[in-house]
Amino acid sequence: MPNMSLKKVPMPEQEPNVRNKNFEEVALGYTAEMAMEEAARCLHCKNQPCVSGCPVNVHIPEFIAKVAAGDFQGAYDEIALTNALPAICGRVCPQENQCEGKCVRGIKGEPVAIGRLERFVADWQMENGSDKVEKPVSNGHRVAVVGAGPAGLTCAGDLAKMGYQVSIFEALQTPGGVLVYGIPQFRLPKEIVAKEVGKLVQMGVDIEPDMVIGKVDSVDELFEAGYEAVFIGSGAGLPSFMNIPGEDLLGVYSANEYLTRINLMKAYREGYDTPIAKSKAVAVVGGGNVAMDAARCAKRMGAETVYIVYRRSMEELPARAEEVHHAKEEGIIFKLLNNPVKILGGEDGRVNGIECLEMQLGEPDASGRRRPLPVEGSNFVLDVDTVIMAIGTSPNPLIRSTTTGLEANRHGCLVADDAGATTKEGVFAGGDAVTGAATVILAMGAGKTAAESIDAYIKSKN
Ligand code: FAD
Ligand code: SF4
């Protein structure tokens, strides 16, 4: 008999007033008993709507059945058939819009907690399973991957399994992309990313850090060096600004820079002297997941007051509901229907306030969301000493500007077909570099598709 409880088995969490002062993981994970109880909520629907909601088609009912039976290694093996980074996906995928959004149990009550179960299984395997990975037999063909984010790592892993000799060229010193420099430690511990990357290295994938393609070598030079195909998974790390007065003041950061200083350069750890503002009051401009992460980091770095300044209302706020809920619990103040017009500075060149306008919502715009319109004369000032801009990012133009025949659209995203093939022969691309800022699992899905296309391409040439 399935467990017919309308609610998910709750996930234990650190208390809000404790966790907003540390960088330890917020959600603590299920115990084996909790996981088995939650797994018993699955109805094992014949048509498996949850699977169609998952961009990499994890065999969801099959792995959940194994969890319910206490066969955790079997559950892991089932997940690993289609997902190379389950400990990461279980933590950061927007399941509410994907697998869980399609779960039949969600029609009347809460869906099965597929993400929490995936996380439990992956963590169990890391602690109890074997971490030995078989090195596949080489087929003698070489592929270069640019960027060690989820798209590049997935593409490299799938190609390595097929026997390709894969080299990943990564601009930063640590592989993982946004998983290491963007998403904070309290949502995704970096040790988990390192372990998943370690498995790829065991499979024979060679990772070359501090290699900015387009500067050290160009894509054309990679072909000259003997690589038969190139996958570009260089993400969308170029931050946007509002172009309002005061953005050049000291104390104004892009969210990417702020988060990189904290996550990759470990500004939050004692013993690291990474320069970062010691803020008292912070305004984070934007309403997406990146804004929530920046605000929650600022709080943990010791800021007394942290505002989210967003020009629309809560209904249009794009961040995941769970992240907004956590941010509110941790004391972040939401200034909704407010838009910055000017950042104010003192004689010392430092931020000492942000001037905003109140907004009201008009008719829907091209995005389908109601357009924010300024309320004339409603200007007010928030006293802050730091402003973090989290209003979006786009792909860096470096690679396309140094590669012959590689086309991009007007947003700077590389043009690629559904199979990941770009406009240049032998060059494939996927993830944020093609779609613009999206999600981890979509980037992984694109890496997977491109690996299959690269395999077919190289076979067609030999
Ligand atoms: P990236 O992760 O950006 O990786 C690209 C890699 O390429 C980077 O390591 C970069 O250094 C490298 N690179 C760039 N240029 C070059 C070059 N010229 N030469 C060599 N290497 C290069 N998604 C979710 O699903 N859930 C979340 O909770 C979530 N939270 C997020 C929070 C933040 C703060 C941010 C910024 C994003 C978040 N996302 C989230 C989005 C998600 O992380 C991205 O969609 C995903 O990482 C894209 O993967 P990617 O491999 O395409 O690119
Ligand atoms: Fe189980 Fe939900 Fe998938 Fe149905 S849709 S099989 S209940 S996880």
Side-chain angles (χ1 to χ4, degrees):
M1 266 292 282
N3 165 0
M4 291 312 292
S5 165
L6 294 183
K7 294 227 169 252
K8 294 175 178 177
V9 173
M11 175 80 109
E13 285 177 351
Q14 280 196 69
E15 286 298 318
N17 276 331
V18 174
R19 69 177 193 242
N20 66 9
K21 297 175 192 65
N22 70 55
F23 275 80
E24 302 299 316
E25 204 169 4
V26 168
L28 302 173
Y30 277 162
T31 60
E33 292 71 29
M34 289 171 180
M36 287 167 75
E37 188 186 338
E38 179 61 25
R41 292 184 65 230
C42 178
L43 302 177
H44 299 283
C45 314
K46 262 215 171 83
N47 57 348
Q48 308 193 336
C50 47
V51 178
S52 67
C54 168
V56 294
N57 299 124
V58 168
H59 301 172
I60 295 165
E62 288 87 348
F63 102 72
I64 290 182
K66 289 188 171 146
V67 175
D71 175 10
F72 304 139
Q73 181 62 49
Y76 179 82
D77 294 341
E78 197 69 54
I79 296 173
L81 291 174
T82 61
N83 187 349
L85 308 173
I88 295 167
C89 294
R91 285 172 166 80
V92 304
C93 267
Q95 287 105 6
E96 64 279 15
N97 303 325
Q98 299 177 348
C99 52
E100 292 185 17
K102 301 258 169 136
C103 175
V104 168
R105 294 295 307 261
I107 298 169
K108 209 175 164 195
E110 289 182 351
V112 173
I114 302 169
R116 293 177 186 178
L117 290 173
E118 187 174 13
R119 166 186 166 154
F120 165 77
V121 170
D123 288 0
W124 182 92
Q125 205 277 341
M126 270 188 201
E127 265 183 37
N128 302 285
S130 159
D131 54 5
K132 267 225 141 348
V133 178
E134 289 291 314
K135 192 170 171 183
V137 180
S138 168
N139 65 11
H141 295 286
R142 294 171 69 206
V143 178
V145 168
V146 181
L153 293 173
T154 306
C155 184
D158 281 18
L159 286 168
K161 278 189 202 152
M162 296 177 209
Y164 287 92
Q165 278 175 256
V166 185
S167 301
I168 306 183
F169 298 95
E170 166 54 49
L172 299 174
Q173 82 245 27
T174 312
V178 171
L179 305 177
V180 293
Y181 80 73
I183 303 181
Q185 179 80 6
F186 56 82
R187 283 212 294 129
L188 177 62
K190 303 310 153 215
E191 302 72 35
I192 287 172
V193 182
K195 278 193 183 162
E196 306 262 30
V197 171
K199 289 185 190 163
L200 296 188
V201 174
Q202 279 192 55
M203 275 199 284
V205 173
D206 165 45
I207 303 181
E208 308 261 349
D210 301 317
M211 284 290 283
V212 183
I213 298 302
K215 279 212 167 129
V216 184
D217 276 332
S218 67
V219 170
D220 293 315
E221 281 166 335
L222 292 176
F223 282 107
E224 285 163 25
Y227 293 100
E228 293 163 73
V230 177
F231 173 76
I232 301 175
S234 49
L238 190 69
S240 304
F241 284 88
M242 291 184 75
N243 295 323
I244 55 174
E247 282 182 327
D248 54 350
L249 288 165
L250 285 173
V252 179
Y253 293 86
S254 71
N256 265 20
E257 181 189 346
Y258 189 73
L259 289 167
T260 301
R261 284 173 186 269
I262 293 173
N263 293 309
L264 193 67
M265 298 163 75
K266 308 276 184 254
Y268 69 93
R269 281 206 188 149
E270 277 188 28
Y272 283 75
D273 55 3
T274 308
I276 194 158
K278 298 266 173 277
S279 317
K280 278 202 166 143
V282 179
V284 179
V285 182
N289 287 323
V290 180
M292 298 306 131
D293 281 342
R296 296 173 72 196
C297 279
K299 191 82 188 168
R300 281 163 173 78
M301 292 297 291
E304 287 156 23
T305 312
V306 182
Y307 301 104
I308 288 278
V309 180
Y310 179 58
R311 62 195 183 132
R312 291 183 161 100
S313 72
M314 191 55 95
E315 219 168 288
E316 292 82 22
L317 195 102
R320 292 181 68 188
E322 186 184 339
E323 303 309 326
V324 176
H325 169 72
H326 278 147
K328 281 185 179 168
E329 278 188 338
E330 289 167 13
I332 309 300
I333 302 163
F334 283 70
K335 300 291 291 177
L336 302 173
L337 287 167
N338 289 159
N339 201 29
V341 286
K342 189 176 181 183
I343 302 171
L344 311 171
E347 277 177 7
D348 57 1
R350 293 181 178 276
V351 173
N352 64 12
I354 184 165
E355 184 180 331
C356 301
L357 261 182
E358 287 177 14
M359 309 295 277
Q360 57 192 357
L361 293 178
E363 293 302 309
D365 61 16
S367 72
R369 295 176 301 173
R370 292 178 64 194
R371 186 190 300 274
L373 301 167
V375 177
E376 291 308 325
S378 62
N379 304 47
F380 67 98
V381 172
L382 290 175
D383 288 331
V384 295
D385 52 34
T386 306
V387 173
I388 301 170
M389 289 292 177
I391 55 166
T393 54
S394 58
N396 190 308
L398 179 65
I399 293 182
R400 67 171 189 271
S401 64
T402 52
T403 310
T404 51
L406 204 55
E407 280 176 25
N409 66 19
R410 66 191 171 90
H411 303 293
C413 300
L414 294 178
V415 174
D417 65 16
D418 290 347
T422 66
T423 48
K424 183 178 174 76
E425 193 189 329
V427 179
F428 297 77
D432 285 5
V434 169
T435 56
T439 64
V440 171
I441 195 74
L442 286 174
M444 287 176 60
K448 234 178 180 1
T449 305
E452 282 165 22
S453 308
I454 290 172
D455 179 47
Y457 169 75
I458 292 182
K459 281 185 176 145
S460 74
K461 293 270 158 193
N462 289 280

